[in-house]
Amino acid sequence: MSNEHSKPLLTIDPLLAISVVGLMIVGILFIFSSGVNSNGVLITTEYLKQILWAVVALTVLVSFSYVNYNLLRDLSFWIYLFFLILLVLTVLFGKVVNGAKAWIGVFGIGGQPSEFAKIATILFLSRFLSNKKAEIHEGKVLSQAFLIVAIPMGLILRQPDTGTTLVFIPVFLMILFLAGAKIRHLLFIALIGVSTVVLALIPSIETIIYHESNGFGTLLTDPKVLAIVGIMLGIVVGLSVFGYRQYKRPIFYWLAYVFAMILASFILSFLLRAVLKDYQVMRFIVFLDPSVDPKGSGWNLIQSITAIGSGGFFGKGYLLGTQSHYRFLPMQSTDFIFSILGEEMGFFGGLIVFGLFSILLFRMLYIIQVIKDNFGVLVISGFVGMFFTHVFVNIGMTLGVMPVTGIPLYFLSYGGSSLIAGSVAVGISMNIYSRRFRF
């Protein structure tokens, strides 16, 4: 029996450990495969670095499973502030990798602060909302919560790293949902996020796919038209808010709800277009129509689908893939690691990976159900949102059902930052579960 003052003897949850170690092993195997060329010669040593990072990541995981997570709660603001400063320094002095200034370090030692900023934001946001549980329905609290998320999002978007930026939205919604926010508030945020991206891309879609620029896109790019539309929408929102406060009729509330959402989407889409690079826009365009640029931005998507499709049910066999070994797959050890697995191990190999991620996610959902600490519930819900989004988006983009956004597949993709950050999240989850009887 545990008591309030005893230390847990076992903090390593077997199911979480099995899923993480299993995914790491799969990742190392296919990072090794990605380094083999068409002559069967190993031309990179990425797999050796991944093994080293895996050892570090597992050490970090065990460490965070023992350190009392209440300490993380108490220090969450300072952890959050530290990584905000690192994000600012990355924007100013970071190294450009794959088109984004996302890496920072000294003497070749460093990483991507954006990966750890997700963890820091989840911790601080969870602490804030756990202290505001009774006020979660108030606009002031929701606005403050959104600001906590919006600051790192803005800094990461400046790198620019659109994929990582978008991950914050489902994480934010997941935490808000478990914190008790109203469904209409969650829909408001989600619809703004989706419509912002759509409105930001419409001018490019008209020009590149439909070869015209005199449609709705003109309204979204002409500063004068935007100013007029913004003022008109602002007036409608203001009158609707006034009407609701004066007469308390639902029609005024929903008018303010809809037009405020439209106004926010227009403003944010304008800001998003200002920071998006051409290659990022093309990633979304080729998702709609890969034939627009089959030898450029569409190449990634076409080759990935070809690789996975050629794998069939059991695949071509380990180290027998052609798309990766002939170097047709871009960023094959990072963003498109699942494409190699799909080609060499087929549908069966994909099921293994899905199974391991399912163990990870369902175990975390189980932990959410059995723990009593509200802060712990919100933290793990944020991790669930983070892991699910990475899995869904990364594997989805390799299959052609999601745009290519460049986010890694946790525990499989080559890279130390995502591997260690994911391990931190799992270690904290184990920590919370091991202390579940203390509240």
Side-chain angles (χ1 to χ4, degrees):
M1 295 290 291
S2 297
N3 58 57
E4 187 176 357
H5 301 289
S6 64
K7 294 182 179 179
L9 296 176
L10 180 65
T11 62
I12 303 300
D13 183 86
L15 288 177
L16 289 178
I18 288 171
S19 61
V20 169
V21 173
L23 289 168
M24 285 183 180
I25 291 173
V26 172
I28 291 168
L29 287 174
F30 286 95
I31 289 170
F32 177 87
S33 178
S34 73
V36 177
N37 66 15
S38 58
N39 296 319
V41 178
L42 184 65
I43 58 175
T44 74
T45 58
E46 288 181 339
Y47 79 100
L48 292 176
K49 295 180 181 178
Q50 191 74 359
I51 292 173
L52 175 60
W53 286 329
V55 172
V56 173
L58 289 174
T59 304
V60 169
L61 186 153
V62 173
S63 300
F64 273 90
S65 73
Y66 275 95
V67 176
N68 194 319
Y69 74 94
N70 288 305
L71 178 63
L72 298 176
R73 181 198 338 234
D74 296 338
L75 297 176
S76 60
F77 170 75
W78 300 108
I79 296 171
Y80 173 78
L81 182 62
F82 173 74
F83 282 103
L84 286 187
I85 294 172
L86 278 186
L87 288 175
V88 172
L89 293 175
T90 303
V91 171
L92 296 176
F93 309 109
K95 179 181 178 182
V96 177
V97 178
N98 294 326
K101 194 185 288 185
W103 193 94
I104 191 170
V106 179
F107 303 119
I109 300 174
Q112 292 180 271
S114 58
E115 289 294 336
F116 300 97
K118 286 180 284 190
I119 308 293
T121 302
I122 288 170
L123 290 173
F124 182 49
L125 179 63
S126 298
R127 175 189 173 184
F128 173 78
L129 290 176
S130 64
N131 292 335
K132 300 286 185 179
K133 187 175 182 180
E135 309 164 60
I136 188 62
H137 298 148
E138 296 182 7
K140 179 181 178 181
V141 172
L142 291 174
S143 299
Q144 291 172 337
F146 177 72
L147 185 62
I148 291 173
V149 176
I151 295 174
M153 284 179 65
L155 291 171
I156 294 170
L157 192 60
R158 283 285 299 159
Q159 293 179 357
D161 186 349
T162 312
T164 302
T165 303
L166 295 177
V167 171
F168 280 82
I169 297 176
V171 167
F172 181 50
L173 293 175
M174 187 73 176
I175 294 176
L176 278 183
F177 177 73
L178 269 294
K182 293 180 179 179
I183 297 298
R184 64 174 179 266
H185 293 157
L186 299 178
L187 282 175
F188 182 81
I189 297 169
L191 290 172
I192 286 177
V194 172
S195 56
T196 294
V197 175
V198 172
L199 290 174
L201 294 175
I202 283 178
S204 299
I205 292 173
E206 286 188 351
T207 303
I208 298 172
I209 296 181
Y210 298 108
H211 305 291
E212 60 179 30
S213 58
N214 55 352
F216 185 58
T218 302
L219 184 147
L220 299 171
T221 55
D222 190 318
K224 293 182 179 179
V225 175
L226 273 175
I228 294 172
V229 172
I231 292 172
M232 292 174 62
L233 288 173
I235 292 173
V236 173
V237 172
L239 290 174
S240 300
V241 171
F242 174 79
Y244 179 71
R245 289 182 175 178
Q246 189 73 20
Y247 303 105
K248 302 298 180 183
R249 293 186 178 180
I251 183 63
F252 291 112
Y253 175 88
W254 290 109
L255 282 172
Y257 182 96
V258 172
F259 283 99
M261 182 177 63
I262 296 173
L263 176 60
S265 300
F266 264 87
I267 295 173
L268 291 174
S269 67
F270 178 78
L271 297 175
L272 182 58
R273 273 194 305 276
V275 297
L276 280 178
K277 304 295 184 182
D278 291 340
Y279 75 91
Q280 292 175 310
V281 173
M282 284 303 299
R283 285 178 174 179
F284 287 95
I285 298 297
V286 297
F287 165 67
L288 300 174
D289 185 3
S291 64
V292 168
D293 189 17
K295 294 184 179 180
S297 298
W299 177 266
N300 300 1
L301 186 58
I302 293 170
Q303 296 305 317
S304 176
I305 295 173
T306 301
I308 294 175
S310 66
F313 192 86
F314 289 109
K316 297 176 179 178
Y318 183 58
L319 300 180
L320 298 178
T322 55
Q323 296 298 111
S324 61
H325 296 166
Y326 280 93
R327 326 312 289 177
F328 291 137
L329 277 172
M331 297 174 287
Q332 54 189 25
S333 64
T334 53
D335 298 350
F336 289 91
I337 190 72
F338 188 80
S339 303
I340 304 177
L341 183 144
E343 182 181 24
E344 298 187 357
M345 302 303 292
F347 181 73
F348 179 74
L351 282 181
I352 293 175
V353 170
F354 278 120
L356 290 170
F357 274 119
S358 295
I359 293 172
L360 176 71
L361 292 171
F362 280 108
R363 186 59 176 174
M364 285 187 164
L365 290 173
Y366 169 77
I367 294 173
I368 289 174
Q369 288 183 318
V370 300
I371 60 177
K372 300 177 182 180
D373 178 31
N374 189 47
F375 171 75
V377 167
L378 299 184
V379 168
I380 298 182
S381 69
F383 293 156
V384 169
M386 181 181 76
F387 283 128
F388 177 81
T389 303
H390 272 258
V391 173
F392 182 77
V393 173
N394 181 279
I395 295 180
M397 75 182 187
T398 65
L399 296 171
V401 297
M402 291 292 291
V404 176
T405 54
I407 65 173
L409 185 57
Y410 273 120
F411 307 116
L412 271 78
S413 293
Y414 171 74
S417 296
S418 65
L419 188 63
I420 294 172
S423 299
V424 169
V426 174
I428 294 173
S429 301
M430 291 181 179
N431 191 313
I432 293 171
Y433 180 61
S434 69
R435 291 172 169 80
R436 62 192 178 280
F437 298 117
R438 294 174 170 237
F439 296 89

